[in-house]
Amino acid sequence: MVQGITIRLADSLPRDVVERWREEITRSNEWPTERARVEELQRRVARYEDAGHGECHLRRPEIAALVRDALLRFDGERYKLLEWCVMPNHVHILITQLKGFPLGDIVRSWKTFTAREANLMLGRAGPFWMREYHDRSIRDEKHFNRAVAYIRSNPVKAGLCVRAEDWPWSSAAIREDE
């Protein structure tokens, strides 16, 4: 099963901001269905993330490389890594889980290792990643293609580069080098 996953730095998206948006969206008649309300909340979250809120520790090349290397480490052993992109305050990942490796264990492994190492590199303590992560099962080929396009275009949309292949912390850049 293909899974889309987003993990965020602990300070990238304050809970009170999300709750305020939920209340605004729920009270408004602009989004009449639950699906429309969920999609609007997702749009707001994406815009907020891409604006680069929080410390953005992943902007530092050594931290971005740490996360990249952690994602690549068990590719083909625990999961098949299909697409990924390390943004300044969050990471998008598209994988196929391999039998015997639950998604929660995979994500926990990435987050535990990278949090410990990043905190050492940064000379800090405390939460590095948000406790929660967002995951979504990819339903079909059309959904898969949209997820790939979203992940690849995220650094371009956020104004970090002109072409997806120019963002060094992504599968698009690695594939361009091959």
Side-chain angles (χ1 to χ4, degrees):
M1 173 185 294
V2 178
Q3 293 285 337
I5 305 153
T6 301
I7 57 176
R8 297 177 178 97
L9 293 181
D11 67 349
S12 65
L13 185 63
R15 187 177 305 272
D16 62 321
V17 170
V18 176
E19 289 308 314
R20 186 179 72 240
W21 289 337
R22 274 196 181 103
E23 289 175 25
E24 289 172 10
I25 292 167
T26 301
R27 283 193 307 250
S28 174
N29 294 328
E30 191 173 343
W31 303 280
T33 66
E34 180 61 24
R35 181 180 173 106
R37 289 188 288 275
V38 167
E39 288 173 353
E40 176 58 20
L41 182 60
Q42 289 171 341
R43 277 191 292 276
R44 290 183 185 198
V45 166
R47 279 194 309 264
Y48 194 87
E49 285 174 338
D50 293 345
H53 292 279
E55 293 285 327
C56 293
H57 295 302
L58 302 175
R59 188 181 305 274
R60 294 177 59 153
E62 66 274 20
I63 307 296
L66 170 72
V67 173
R68 175 202 60 208
D69 294 347
L71 296 176
L72 293 170
R73 171 64 180 92
F74 291 106
D75 181 23
E77 292 179 42
R78 298 179 183 174
Y79 48 84
K80 177 66 180 145
L81 189 59
L82 305 171
E83 290 288 333
W84 56 273
C85 182
V86 179
M87 298 291 288
N89 62 4
H90 65 286
V91 181
H92 295 294
I93 310 149
L94 195 61
I95 65 169
T96 300
Q97 292 173 248
L98 298 180
K99 189 175 173 105
F101 296 98
L103 184 61
D105 291 352
I106 293 168
V107 175
R108 190 180 310 79
S109 172
W110 292 331
K111 289 170 64 176
T112 300
F113 173 75
T114 57
R116 182 180 58 246
E117 295 300 313
N119 276 340
L120 284 171
M121 294 166 109
L122 294 165
R124 67 181 294 278
F128 186 76
W129 297 108
M130 259 186 202
R131 184 177 178 93
E132 306 85 17
Y133 62 92
H134 176 77
D135 64 289
R136 186 164 197 178
S137 295
I138 303 300
R139 296 179 302 275
D140 53 33
E141 187 176 352
K142 183 178 177 185
H143 190 198
F144 176 81
N145 291 335
R146 280 196 325 266
V148 168
Y150 182 87
I151 291 169
R152 284 181 169 236
S153 68
N154 199 207
V156 175
K157 187 177 66 162
L160 300 171
C161 59
V162 175
R163 298 177 322 131
E165 299 81 14
D166 296 336
W167 186 243
W169 313 112
S170 71
S171 50
I174 287 178
R175 286 190 175 84
E176 180 74 6
D177 292 341
E178 293 175 351

